[in-house]
Amino acid sequence: MNALSDLQATLDPSRKSWVESANDSTTDFSIQNLPFGIFSDKTNGTRRVGVAIGDEIVDLAALQTAGVLTVSKDAVFASDTLNDFISLGRDAWRSVRIQLSNLLARDTATLRDDAALRSKALVRQVDAQLHLPVQIPGYTDFYSSKEHATNVGSMFRDPKNALLPNWSEMPIGYNGRASSVVVSGTPVRRPNGQLKLPDQERPVFGACRKLDIELETGFVIGSGNALGEPIACADAEAHIFGMVLLNDWSARDIQQWEYVPLGPFNAKTFATTISPWIVTLDALEPFRVAQPAQEPQPLAYLRHDGKHAFDISLEVTLRPQTATQATTISRTNFKHMYWTMAQQLAHHTVSGCNTRVGDLMGSGTISGPTADSCGSLLESTWNGKNSLELKEGGTRGFIEDGDELTLAGWCQGDGYRVGFGTCAGEILPAQK
Amino acid sequence: MNALSDLQATLDPSRKSWVESANDSTTDFSIQNLPFGIFSDKTNGTRRVGVAIGDEIVDLAALQTAGVLTVSKDAVFASDTLNDFISLGRDAWRSVRIQLSNLLARDTATLRDDAALRSKALVRQVDAQLHLPVQIPGYTDFYSSKEHATNVGSMFRDPKNALLPNWSEMPIGYNGRASSVVVSGTPVRRPNGQLKLPDQERPVFGACRKLDIELETGFVIGSGNALGEPIACADAEAHIFGMVLLNDWSARDIQQWEYVPLGPFNAKTFATTISPWIVTLDALEPFRVAQPAQEPQPLAYLRHDGKHAFDISLEVTLRPQTATQATTISRTNFKHMYWTMAQQLAHHTVSGCNTRVGDLMGSGTISGPTADSCGSLLESTWNGKNSLELKEGGTRGFIEDGDELTLAGWCQGDGYRVGFGTCAGEILPAQK
């Protein structure tokens, strides 16, 4: 077991690194962060586990080989996914976090003063390629923003009864498609599908005309549960390894026609983009805040004491292919979410459903209380009716071919950030 | 490439085996079948690939080691899933089928007359344990029986407009939960969840009171497609390795409260049971029949020439814990399905969604045109209103604790069967 004081020390806002770029107050990757990912680079094309620090990546496989990073399983970082490392359990995640924080701290000479090892173990982010960080056995997407559900309900059902009765009783969720989860930077092809046009009796086949983002976060399961053995709400956070940004690309016109009665399918399965770095729950601890008040009080299996929301600033930018500047089209915060991650996981498993290491759970679209804090174009343009004016590149109702959409997210500490990097994707034209 | 005549010979109804139990006209596992599974036994607890023949299992790992079965990858059958073998591709599946059919044919001495090898390579089914045959990266469930969709629509919406407008235009489907797919024989715990009782304003938490089966088949992806590259309807069957029986256990009361607007979730994720033997599409070839006429004519991407349904007799029995006899509660046939497997796969991928080896696709509940051919208790008891009389053990509206539900399925050839074995599960009481 790790001493709690050692874990606490990794969060000390005054801790600085000898990797000077990590001390920049605007970097996402301060020494307080230490997010995990999978990378390769030009000199070494093999995928392996890395941790982002400032403008660099620390190669954990190299550190383990060199004997300066100790973990219970040999070569666990010489892997193309994080699953084996995550499977070692929370004590191992924390031990590695503590060791890395110490190794990278300004006053620790081990790596700082060993030029040979440093040249092996530090790779500049600009020279690296980032890959999907986990093999994802299951992907589930929730629908837990009250503002988002209210906007959608107002638009498509009844503004006076925008929220369905079940919404306030449980974190509504559905199974998504794990196969098409891709890492940030992967181009996304506009999907074809069935479109039901208002002036025609039968659907037509063609390219989606209402392509949209959904600004979400996702959490990654760090330890699963056996079939038939639910995870209690109070225990749920201990099962979470960390969080990513997630863009749940959505074809609104395909969705509108297909989704009754079994939910969205083709409208969502063509791609879901996640950011490459998994920010651990330990790194997010200082940014824990109270969740919104829940009324009515949830049923007992969904109750937890204490604070279970996290103050994560989020923004979305859109850059047309020909534009040099991107336009910020949304600014919001994860803390607005009505249902917490712990409640989502407790609900997911209450029927006995099992979860596995690497499972990804999307938050659902994160919308704030104002028009400029909507997590989807569906909401901010009110189903395309009110176009957004871009700084450069015209206006948008929905996404056009060549547009690059980028999510960003960070927690603001005192003089430092714990950030997620970006989650970006450019839209390619539909297949002819 | 295998000669088509060799493949054709494996389907010859007159071919007999020296494994005499395979020549019984009522066995599911004739020499014309040769389904693949994963087994272990008391003498050898290691999981490995087997093929069912009569009352026996042929151990393919033993045959490969002995050099009497040739395949391009070493030790591919010494695996606890079929995925590696399936990944070798259709030529390999067919080559192994042809070799096994020849090895097991009455006149082939190789294995028949080699007592030492036979004792290593044949395991009696009664001495074996069967395991989940594939690692399932993704599970999708369709809703493709017109009779089932009409029954459900009549019950919960409007008998005059029972089918929603999208139903006749596409094989409606949704993503299921792959983690909780279990093999036949695994006990299933009655789920707890939110129930909305008609006389109460808020939901209560408790054990499902309307536990049901869904009689389905499933198909297993044998070769996937890359993201953004749809599978054409005409090519789809070549991507299918084979079929299983599938019971999509459903908690009707949980489903009724949760499913709007994103579809079923907790109501389905607690367990899905499949049969242990995967019957290849090659073995099913003689039972190919025309699908029902489709009106309106599907959009172009869902059209295929020729026959794409399969004549598979299906039945469901229920045996209460204290009963010695089971009661047959449904008899129907897979050939009634409105949308074909090829159409399901073409639709699944038309948006660009990728599929992977081992992906499981459920047919949706298979109901026939009569009351005794319903694939769910929901339909046959009309939501519990008309109880079924059992031969032994009282009546049933829905499933009671201790009930064992068993699906069976077979194709009837001339003097032989190509069968699926059984897909069974007993219900354990809900967790307190």
Side-chain angles (χ1 to χ4, degrees), chain A residues 166 169-170 175 177 179 194 202 227 230 257 259-260 266 270 297 301 347 350-351 354 356 359 431, chain B residues 166 169-170 175 177 179 194 202 205 227 230 257 260-261 266 270 297 301 347 351 354 356 359 431:
Chain A
N166 58 10
E169 298 287 356
M170 67 174 88
N175 297 295
R177 180 79 189 167
S179 69
Q194 289 196 18
R202 291 195 57 197
L227 192 62
W257 170 234
Y259 89 105
V260 178
N266 282 357
F270 60 97
Q297 185 186 34
Y301 80 94
H347 181 68
V350 76
S351 66
N354 52 333
R356 296 183 285 192
D359 279 350
Q431 199 181 49
Chain B
N166 60 9
E169 298 287 356
M170 66 174 88
N175 297 296
R177 180 80 190 166
S179 68
Q194 289 197 17
R202 290 195 57 196
F205 180 78
L227 191 62
W257 170 234
V260 178
N266 282 357
F270 60 96
Q297 186 188 34
Y301 81 95
H347 180 67
S351 65
N354 53 332
R356 297 182 284 193
D359 279 349
Q431 200 182 46

Side-chain angles (χ1 to χ4, degrees), chain A residues 311-374:
Chain A
D311 182 354
I312 306 172
S313 297
L314 298 164
E315 68 175 41
V316 184
T317 60
L318 187 158
R319 189 181 63 77
Q321 196 164 33
T322 55
T324 51
Q325 300 184 80
T327 302
T328 299
I329 61 171
S330 179
R331 283 193 182 87
T332 184
N333 195 299
F334 180 64
K335 71 183 176 190
H336 298 308
M337 298 303 277
Y338 187 85
W339 294 105
T340 68
M341 295 186 285
Q343 289 174 321
Q344 290 171 337
L345 187 51
H347 181 68
H348 198 313
T349 60
V350 76
S351 66
C353 181
N354 52 333
T355 61
R356 296 183 285 192
V357 167
D359 279 350
L360 177 66
M361 314 263 166
S363 59
T365 310
I366 303 167
S367 291
T370 57
D372 60 356
S373 61
C374 292

Side-chain angles (χ1 to χ4, degrees), chain B residues 106-126:
Chain B
R106 186 170 270 167
D107 297 335
T108 310
T110 319
L111 184 55
R112 184 192 68 195
D113 296 348
D114 184 340
L117 180 55
R118 234 176 37 235
S119 79
K120 276 188 216 160
L122 281 187
V123 174
R124 295 194 316 164
Q125 285 175 28
V126 291

Side-chain angles (χ1 to χ4, degrees), chain A residues 3 60 99 116 214 327:
Chain A
L60 301 204
Q99 292 178 69
E214 292 199 338
T327 302

Side-chain angles (χ1 to χ4, degrees), chain B residues 206-238:
Chain B
C208 164
R209 300 170 188 194
K210 292 187 172 179
L211 185 59
D212 200 359
I213 54 157
E214 292 200 338
L215 165 62
E216 303 193 15
T217 58
F219 65 88
V220 174
I221 294 295
S223 60
N225 64 302
L227 191 62
E229 295 177 13
I231 296 173
C233 200
D235 302 333
E237 284 179 1

